[in-house]
């Protein structure tokens, strides 16, 4: 294999590894979501399950982020159908909803991120629309709020007082904020230590650098005797 062929194949291999890692993280996220809405013991997974999806929104273009959102939703549908979850039905309507709605959310979230920056508040607020759009699926507390129907007493109290759309906003906001914190920590670790520069070298003027007709000005003067 020539060097040119290796140079061409290396970026291709790196892209394949990158997309495989993204797909694997999204599938794991869907598994966490299915476990959180299916069992009260795993309510805490709802606080981290959207990290891969939000990361795709943060780093990818709108079209690619939308594809990732659709893949995430379809993975959630497939996992729920595989484990026989009663929370999400296994018909084609549910598959269409879970593919299109998260895909559109990720597309719009990525476009908004390119315009105003990664905003946990706006992403959390936008997830409320996802919850309303998924109402035909018959989820009792919605998707994200449904993950907190177990031992998440504090969030359940908030939901009982202000509605479960607010719970979905809080859970999405926590996910996006946690991703922001992790990104800052990673950047701080990856940043090279600052180089301590030595003090600026002061250039000294020596008599050898001065013309001979001016060198007498630098000679040490002798005190004169007082006038008579």
């Amino acid at each position: 294999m020539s060097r040119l062929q290796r140079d061409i194949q290396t970026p291709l291999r790196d892209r394949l590894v990158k997309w495989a890692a993204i797909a694997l993280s999204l599938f794991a996220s869907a598994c966490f979501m299915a476990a959180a809405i299916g069992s009260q013991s795993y309510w805490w997974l709802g606080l981290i399950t959207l990290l891969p999806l939000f990361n795709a929104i943060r780093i990818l273009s709108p079209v690619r982020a939308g594809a990732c959102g659709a893949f995430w939703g379809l993975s959630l549908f497939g996992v729920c159908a595989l484990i026989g979850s009663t929370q999400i039905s296994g018909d084609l309507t549910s598959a269409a909803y879970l593919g299109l709605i998260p895909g559109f959310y990720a597309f719009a979230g990525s476009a908004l991120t390119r315009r105003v920056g990664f905003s946990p508040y706006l992403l959390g607020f936008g997830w409320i629309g996802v919850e309303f759009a998924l109402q035909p699926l018959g989820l009792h507390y919605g998707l994200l709020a449904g993950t907190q129907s177990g031992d998440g007493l504090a969030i359940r109290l908030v939901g009982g007082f202000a509605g479960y759309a607010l719970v979905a906003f809080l859970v999405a906001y926590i996910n996006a904020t946690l991703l922001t914190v992790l990104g800052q920590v990673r950047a701080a670790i990856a940043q090279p230590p600052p180089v301590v520069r030595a003090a600026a070298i002061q250039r000294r003027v020596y008599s050898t650098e001065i013309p001979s007709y001016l060198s007498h000005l630098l000679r040490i003067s002798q005190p004169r005797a007082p006038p008579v």
Side-chain angles (χ1 to χ4, degrees):
M1 183 182 298
S2 65
R3 181 176 180 180
L4 178 61
Q5 291 176 332
R6 290 196 301 269
D7 293 340
I8 295 175
Q9 291 181 359
T10 298
L12 177 61
R13 183 173 63 250
D14 294 341
R15 287 196 296 268
L16 291 175
V17 171
K18 172 187 174 181
W19 282 107
I22 292 176
L24 183 61
S25 64
L26 290 170
F27 181 76
S29 170
C31 293
F32 291 160
M33 177 67 77
I37 63 177
S39 176
Q40 296 181 356
S41 302
Y42 299 109
W43 63 268
W44 53 272
L45 288 176
L47 302 178
I48 60 174
T49 187
L50 291 182
L51 290 179
L53 181 59
F54 284 157
N55 187 55
I57 291 173
R58 184 174 64 91
I59 66 175
L60 298 179
S61 65
V63 174
R64 293 178 178 179
C68 289
F71 175 77
W72 179 86
L74 292 175
S75 297
L76 176 60
F77 171 80
V79 172
C80 290
L82 183 63
I83 64 177
S85 175
T86 59
Q87 303 293 330
I88 299 177
S89 60
D91 54 9
L92 293 179
T93 302
S94 298
Y97 271 91
L98 288 175
L100 293 176
I101 295 173
F104 178 77
Y105 171 80
F107 174 87
S110 176
L112 184 64
T113 299
R114 298 300 172 275
R115 182 176 296 271
V116 301
F118 187 79
S119 172
Y121 176 80
L122 293 178
L123 291 174
F125 186 77
W127 191 267
I128 297 178
V130 175
E131 297 292 340
F132 283 118
L134 292 177
Q135 280 186 347
L137 297 184
L139 295 170
H140 185 56
Y141 294 127
L143 194 59
L144 273 186
T147 64
Q148 303 302 309
S149 61
D151 295 333
L153 178 60
I155 295 185
R156 285 192 290 118
L157 290 176
V158 173
F161 176 75
Y164 288 96
L166 179 59
V167 177
F169 164 79
L170 290 176
V171 177
Y173 179 81
I174 291 172
N175 275 268
T177 302
L178 182 59
L179 178 63
T180 302
V181 173
L182 292 176
Q184 292 174 350
V185 172
R186 179 181 178 183
I189 294 176
Q191 185 178 4
V195 177
V196 180
R197 296 183 177 180
I201 300 176
Q202 298 181 356
R203 181 173 177 82
R204 298 178 181 273
V205 180
Y206 297 96
S207 59
T208 56
E209 299 177 355
I210 299 178
S212 58
Y213 59 85
L214 295 177
S215 60
H216 68 278
L217 298 177
L218 298 178
R219 295 175 183 174
I220 301 177
S221 302
Q222 299 294 332
R224 295 184 302 171
V228 179

